[in-house]
Amino acid sequence: MNFNLDRDLVFFDIESTGPDVVRDRIMQIAMIKYPKDGGTPIEKNILMNPQYPIKPDALKVHGITIDMVRNKPTFKEYAVELMDFLDEADLAGYNSKRFDIPMLIEEFGRVGMEFSMKGRRLIDAMQIFYKMEPRTLKAALKFYCGKDLEDAHDAMADTKATADVFWGQIQRYEGVDHIDNDDKITVAPIKNDMQAIHDFISDNNNVDFTGRFSRNSEGVITFNFGTNKGQEAYKNPQTLKWIISKDFPAQVKNIAKAILNGKMK
């Protein structure tokens, strides 16, 4: 790869104890630095002891157990090395603006070091993907059906277009297997069968449509937002009462009431 650079460019990815950039900790950071002078890329792959519990859902994603990092140095012990490696380089990743970079800033701050973003250019491949391959109804109609959307945002025109897109998806994906991020194969999930499609696209972890509540790996309902994110809801009655008293969707309030009354867990 021959990047046109006037500053070092570091691609990096983080694996952590969980998704909360403030509370969770880094367990692994992998980096590839492309020097601005065109030299050989430099790779670093570091495992570290997070000194923090690993959430079951995170463990299912990356497979890094506490035994694998128990005797590794901590972030604090790696901090100077990491700061030197990243120096004033531009940063690149996938969804890095929303997760990896904020988590890195938090970790440095926790050990009394400021990881400055001043002057750095941030390259997020996911944002390029979304911008160049827009997920709009107009784009979907063109992709699946080869049609242009007339009278966009007219309710009936959009409804007809959605039906066309759905039929186009059934035709395009019938007989095509799906492979998820864990290399699990679902054989031909898209077919002319509404139950099969519903089962395939449903998020079985979310308890409500807005995703305020979800289920953890043990099947217990947890909060999926705010400072209590990841905590088991039935153990936090005050938060449930707060939800009921505030301007949350009716479904969310009803779930909170059911948990408080012991009808859900």
Side-chain angles (χ1 to χ4, degrees):
M1 289 177 282
N2 187 23
F3 296 115
N4 181 22
L5 304 176
D6 59 1
R7 184 184 296 149
D8 291 346
L9 177 63
V10 175
F11 288 83
F12 80 108
D13 184 69
I14 282 170
E15 301 297 347
S16 66
T17 59
D20 190 323
V21 298
V22 175
R23 294 174 180 268
D24 283 304
R25 303 289 191 269
I26 295 174
M27 300 181 68
Q28 180 185 25
I29 181 167
M31 302 174 289
I32 305 175
K33 179 188 283 187
Y34 288 83
K36 64 182 178 182
D37 61 8
T40 302
I42 306 166
E43 297 184 6
K44 277 186 181 292
N45 190 6
I46 298 172
L47 283 173
M48 58 187 72
N49 186 342
Q51 298 183 305
Y52 194 78
I54 306 169
K55 293 184 173 67
D57 288 344
L59 180 60
K60 286 195 296 185
V61 171
H62 53 59
I64 304 173
T65 67
I66 192 62
D67 289 336
M68 295 167 65
V69 295
R70 192 187 308 278
N71 297 319
K72 299 293 184 182
T74 64
F75 183 92
K76 184 175 183 179
E77 294 172 88
Y78 279 120
V80 173
E81 178 184 345
L82 290 170
M83 188 71 80
D84 289 344
F85 188 82
L86 295 167
D87 194 23
E88 297 179 349
D90 291 336
L91 302 177
Y94 195 88
N95 196 30
S96 51
K97 285 186 178 181
R98 298 183 64 180
F99 178 73
D100 302 82
I101 290 172
M103 178 157 277
L104 194 61
I105 291 172
E106 287 292 328
E107 285 281 25
F108 275 116
R110 205 171 281 120
V111 299
M113 299 173 69
E114 180 184 1
F115 184 65
S116 176
M117 302 305 297
K118 186 177 181 180
R120 294 183 193 271
R121 287 170 290 208
L122 308 179
I123 310 299
D124 193 326
M126 187 181 79
Q127 291 186 331
I128 296 172
F129 179 36
Y130 284 178
K131 284 181 178 292
M132 296 305 292
E133 302 292 340
R135 288 342 192 217
T136 62
L137 178 57
K138 180 179 179 180
L141 188 65
K142 189 71 174 180
F143 181 78
Y144 288 109
C145 308
K147 298 179 181 179
D148 292 318
L149 179 56
E150 305 292 341
D151 300 321
H153 304 303
D154 171 79
M156 183 53 72
D158 286 358
T159 301
K160 290 179 178 179
T162 302
D164 285 344
V165 166
F166 181 45
W167 181 244
Q169 289 172 326
I170 290 174
Q171 292 177 308
R172 177 177 288 266
Y173 298 126
E174 193 153 18
V176 177
D177 295 342
H178 175 263
I179 304 175
D180 68 13
N181 292 333
D182 298 321
D183 292 329
K184 179 183 177 182
I185 299 175
T186 304
V187 178
I190 303 298
K191 60 190 73 174
N192 201 357
D193 179 329
M194 300 309 110
Q195 184 64 48
I197 293 175
H198 166 81
D199 293 343
F200 175 62
I201 65 176
S202 294
D203 186 343
N204 295 324
N205 290 327
N206 279 350
V207 181
D208 62 286
F209 288 118
T210 61
R212 294 295 205 283
F213 290 106
S214 64
R215 292 189 184 275
N216 61 21
S217 57
E218 284 77 41
V220 179
I221 297 175
T222 63
F223 298 109
N224 200 31
F225 69 101
T227 57
N228 289 330
K229 184 173 181 178
Q231 295 182 18
E232 295 179 342
Y234 77 96
K235 295 181 179 178
N236 293 270
Q238 289 304 119
T239 303
L240 293 170
K241 292 176 182 177
W242 174 78
I243 289 173
I244 294 168
S245 70
K246 296 298 181 180
D247 189 22
F248 283 91
Q251 185 190 24
V252 175
K253 289 187 175 186
N254 288 337
I255 292 170
K257 291 175 184 176
I259 297 171
L260 264 179
N261 293 330
K263 296 179 180 179
M264 295 181 72
K265 184 176 177 181

